């Protein structure tokens, strides 16, 4: 589904931030990217989404080589949905208007029906269609960002820290929203997370990045038991 091989990318010619990354996300998997601040997680998502073009390597989506295709192209034609780490909703626009913006590439007569589907999937949005996004709680805003990206019915979702800044209770609501759309629409999810333990619990597999390379990868259930993982992220807790 998503196949990344030997990807090298950076923001200037002189500095490589991603130094030869290989990663896979199979159909309907939830795959989490972990790693310390600044190790290149957001850069990798932006590169897969096409906001940054790799200078080397291959990115295949559903078998097609797309490393040099740009983000609008990937969203419009290649089934990619992307939710950036910050500024992922338009605060001054209402919930309805945010969803309409997300549906920009849909045929006009399909927008309302898709919005209804997403409001059924996420009733909290249906109840607040007229509210400005700025008036939503942190968790509601993350669910709106997710729904906005889901408007064009992507087959792959790239999520950058969907639980950032949320309390443990609200974090579960957002993760639940992610699990639900995977179940209902069969999307493949690749997400960056800081809340390693909670993210691994809803993931099939995970990768740990370190300084632009993959330091560790495996099945989420195994990583939850891995002593190296625990030492790095999970505070040595056994539960
Ligand atoms: N727009 C940018 N321009 C230049 N350097 C950047 C930019 N965004 C991130 N970087 C640098 O790239 C490195 C990786 O950043 P990032 O991918 O955001 O890390 P992470 O998401 O893992 O915290 C950092 O050294 C960061 O300073
Ligand atoms: Mg980041």
């Amino acid at each position: 589904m998503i196949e990344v091989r030997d990807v090298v990318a950076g923001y200037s010619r002189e500095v490589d931030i991603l130094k030869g990354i290989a990663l896979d996300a199979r159909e309907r998997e939830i795959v989490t990217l972990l790693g310390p601040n600044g190790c290149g997680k957001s850069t990798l998502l932006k590169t897969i989404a096409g906001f940054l073009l790799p200078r080397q390597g291959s990115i295949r989506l559903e078998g097609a080589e797309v490393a040099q295709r740009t983000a609008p192209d990937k969203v419009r034609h290649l089934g990619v949905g992307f939710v950036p780490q910050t500024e992922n909703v338009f605060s001054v626009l209402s919930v309805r208007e945010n969803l309409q913006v997300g549906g920009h590439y849909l045929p006009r007569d399909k927008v309302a029906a898709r919005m209804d589907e997403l409001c059924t999937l996420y009733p909290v949005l249906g109840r607040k269609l007229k509210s400005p996004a700025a008036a939503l709680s942190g968790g509601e805003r993350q669910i709106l960002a997710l729904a906005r990206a889901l408007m064009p019915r992507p087959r792959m979702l790239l999520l950058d820290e969907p639980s950032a800044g949320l309390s443990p209770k609200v974090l579960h609501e957002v993760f639940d929203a992610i699990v639900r759309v995977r179940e209902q629409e069969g999307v493949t999810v690749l997400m960056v997370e800081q809340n390693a333990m909670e993210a691994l619990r809803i993931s099939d597999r995970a990768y740990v990045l370190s300084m632009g390379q993959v330091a560790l990868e495996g099945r989420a259930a195994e990583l939850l038991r891995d002593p190296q993982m625990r030492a790095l992220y999970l505070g040595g807790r056994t539960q």
Side-chain angles (χ1 to χ4, degrees):
M1 187 58 141
I2 302 173
E3 264 181 73
V4 174
R5 294 291 177 272
D6 306 319
V7 159
V8 177
Y11 299 92
S12 69
R13 259 177 207 292
E14 299 76 37
V15 185
D16 292 336
I17 302 293
L18 305 180
K19 301 169 184 160
I21 298 263
L23 163 154
D24 289 283
R26 300 183 199 107
E27 205 178 329
R28 300 179 75 110
E29 270 191 327
I30 297 180
V31 175
T32 291
L33 279 176
L34 303 167
N37 267 335
C39 71
K41 302 179 300 295
S42 294
T43 304
L44 177 54
L45 275 203
K46 284 187 269 179
T47 306
I48 296 171
F51 290 98
L52 190 64
L53 299 181
R55 42 178 150 266
Q56 195 182 302
S58 154
I59 299 173
R60 286 178 173 272
L61 300 180
E62 300 177 317
E65 177 57 55
V66 299
Q68 300 303 318
R69 307 272 289 265
T70 60
D73 194 19
K74 283 176 174 164
V75 170
R76 188 165 191 174
H77 301 297
L78 298 168
V80 172
F82 176 61
V83 180
Q85 190 168 351
T86 54
E87 292 165 36
N88 52 23
V89 296
F90 296 100
S91 305
V92 298
L93 299 185
S94 67
V95 167
R96 180 193 298 280
E97 288 162 340
N98 268 280
L99 294 174
Q100 281 166 342
V101 171
H104 179 70
Y105 292 134
L106 278 179
R108 276 187 138 219
D109 59 334
K110 297 279 193 313
V111 172
R114 181 58 175 153
M115 215 184 290
D116 285 349
E117 276 177 7
L118 290 171
C119 290
T120 305
L121 188 63
Y122 304 134
V124 63
L125 299 181
R127 288 194 295 270
K128 299 201 171 178
L129 276 173
K130 291 183 186 154
S131 305
L136 300 181
S137 69
E140 289 165 351
R141 215 170 307 163
Q142 284 303 93
I143 291 174
L144 174 59
L146 184 65
R148 185 193 54 74
L150 285 167
M151 277 296 289
R153 237 179 240 295
R155 298 182 296 281
M156 293 153 264
L157 265 183
L158 308 172
L159 310 175
D160 201 345
E161 299 202 25
S163 80
L166 301 179
S167 69
K169 176 175 171 288
V170 179
L171 171 154
H172 288 295
E173 289 169 16
V174 172
F175 281 1
D176 187 52
I178 296 168
V179 169
R180 225 163 338 133
V181 71
R182 187 265 296 267
E183 274 161 18
Q184 300 234 342
E185 305 200 348
V187 292
T188 301
V189 179
L190 177 62
M191 66 174 183
V192 170
E193 261 301 330
Q194 293 285 353
N195 292 301
M197 182 92 123
E198 290 80 3
L200 287 174
R201 287 209 174 110
I202 65 156
S203 299
D204 299 293
R205 289 184 311 109
Y207 292 80
V208 181
L209 298 194
S210 169
M211 295 188 290
Q213 293 186 307
V214 174
L216 198 64
E217 64 177 279
R219 298 207 63 80
E222 282 156 25
L223 288 173
L224 275 168
R225 292 192 298 263
D226 186 293
Q228 197 185 346
M229 258 316 277
R230 289 189 165 280
L232 279 173
Y233 289 104
L234 311 176
R237 283 177 291 169
T238 51
Q239 176 298 115

